Amino acid sequence: MANRITKQQIYILIAFMFLLIGVVMWQYITPGRKTEQAATQLVEIAERIRRKYAAKIDYWGLNTQVVINNKILQEFSTDGENLINALGKPFNIGQGENAETVMPGEKSFDIIYTGLSMGECIALASFPMKHPEEVGLLKITIINAKENKTFNWGANDYKLPISRDAARKVCKKDSKIIWTIE
């Protein structure tokens, strides 16, 4: 007699497949320990740079290479030209998407996390900073292959803090997040 698959076994198999898909999607969308570490590092990076430049009138000359050369973030590893965060992804310091050197008179700088997956982007963009005013957060810009959106304090459409739903609408595969710090 040949073994036949019963309807109950088919239902169990379908339920198992849905459960497996749900677990995979949950892992993809929710932040992991490394994502939380990368978000915590962001606050530390901002505080250290602000402390280093506290006696200066602006952030003139600040860029990733200056941070590396002056060992401002010495416990972070580098790949030669980029700093590496807890996710193992490169990040840069400077002005704008390409982390240009901060020009004279500029009272803010950017921390740019690059190469983020959709899940990492959502988790980092919507990470609840306890005291963003102490970090000096001015705005967050999310860049994907098709668009970029800037989130500001008090804005109507793209406002800070960023909700997970708002981040989900902009974050895509291989996104960048730029945190502008004063």
Side-chain angles (χ1 to χ4, degrees), residues 100-135:
E100 302 292 331
T101 300
V102 177
M103 300 308 290
E106 287 294 328
K107 305 277 189 207
S108 66
F109 64 93
D110 296 326
I111 301 170
I112 305 102
Y113 277 23
T114 61
L116 301 171
S117 70
M118 183 177 176
E120 291 165 342
C121 178
I122 292 167
L124 287 166
S126 64
F127 187 80
M129 279 189 197
K130 291 188 180 174
H131 300 285
E133 68 282 356
E134 291 177 11
V135 176

Side-chain angles (χ1 to χ4, degrees), residues 143-179:
I143 301 171
N144 64 47
K146 294 183 180 179
E147 64 181 340
N148 66 32
K149 297 291 182 198
T150 300
F151 296 79
N152 290 292
W153 296 108
N156 290 327
D157 293 335
Y158 299 101
K159 61 183 174 182
L160 290 175
I162 303 174
S163 69
R164 286 186 67 80
D165 287 337
R168 195 173 285 118
K169 291 176 184 173
V170 183
C171 289
K172 306 290 183 231
K173 179 182 163 195
D174 198 31
S175 292
K176 288 183 184 180
I177 302 178
I178 302 172
W179 290 269

